């Protein structure tokens, strides 16, 4: 019965590995982009703390 198996079994893991690699690269690029944007854009000034009393 092993002779009746399709010959495309070897190509499927390679395709899945390629898709996984592409997804990991895209996620990594998005994370690095977000970090760089946050670093160079600077955070907006925070509002004064409402719990502090001015004297």
């Amino acid at each position: 019965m092993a002779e009746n198996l399709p010959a495309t079994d070897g190509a499927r893991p390679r395709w899945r590995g390629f898709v996984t690699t592409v997804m990991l690269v895209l996620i990594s690029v998005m994370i690095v982009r977000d970090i760089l944007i946050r670093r160079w854009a600077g955070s907006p000034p925070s509002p004064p703390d409402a719990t502090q009393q001015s004297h």
Side-chain angles (χ1 to χ4, degrees):
M1 287 214 188
E3 300 86 18
N4 295 336
L5 292 175
T8 59
D9 286 343
R12 192 170 184 181
R14 183 180 298 173
W15 181 78
R16 283 186 175 178
F18 176 73
V19 171
T20 304
T21 302
V22 169
M23 294 299 289
L24 286 173
V25 168
L26 289 175
I27 292 171
S28 300
V29 167
M30 290 170 58
I31 291 172
V32 170
R33 179 179 158 263
D34 185 53
I35 290 172
L36 294 177
I37 287 174
R38 287 175 191 251
R39 175 174 293 182
W40 279 309
S43 59
S46 59
D49 191 3
T51 58
Q52 289 182 341
Q53 296 179 355
S54 60
H55 290 96

